[in-house]
Amino acid sequence: MIHKTWTTSETIKQLKCVHANAEKYKVDNVLTPEQIYDVKNETEEFYFIIDDTGKIGGFKKDYFEEI
């Protein structure tokens, strides 16, 4: 149950959101383009970040670029 400690775990890296135009899901209410986010966990397809709501969310990697 590692997901319960992600908010207090060490940041892996930081990413900049490049867009919030999702094809399938609504993400423009939890991601802000040009904002920097802390990555708490990463898989092949998703970054798990603390989003604009203050909670951990999993988002596809194509919304972000590494800084």
Side-chain angles (χ1 to χ4, degrees):
M1 299 222 291
I2 190 171
H3 65 281
K4 293 193 176 205
T5 61
W6 279 349
T7 54
T8 58
S9 66
E10 183 179 327
T11 298
I12 298 171
K13 58 185 163 186
Q14 290 190 320
L15 303 170
K16 182 168 91 171
C17 179
V18 291
H19 71 85
N21 303 325
E23 295 177 13
K24 191 173 183 180
Y25 301 103
K26 185 171 172 77
V27 299
D28 60 346
N29 57 343
V30 293
L31 292 178
T32 305
E34 302 300 318
Q35 185 169 337
I36 306 296
Y37 293 97
D38 293 334
V39 177
K40 297 299 185 173
N41 196 10
E42 178 180 2
T43 64
E44 283 186 29
E45 195 174 344
F46 295 96
Y47 288 123
F48 293 89
I49 64 165
I50 298 178
D51 60 23
D52 293 347
T53 64
K55 297 180 181 177
I56 293 287
F59 300 95
K60 286 195 167 199
K61 290 187 173 185
D62 63 338
Y63 299 120
F64 304 96
E65 69 179 16
E66 292 190 30
I67 53 172

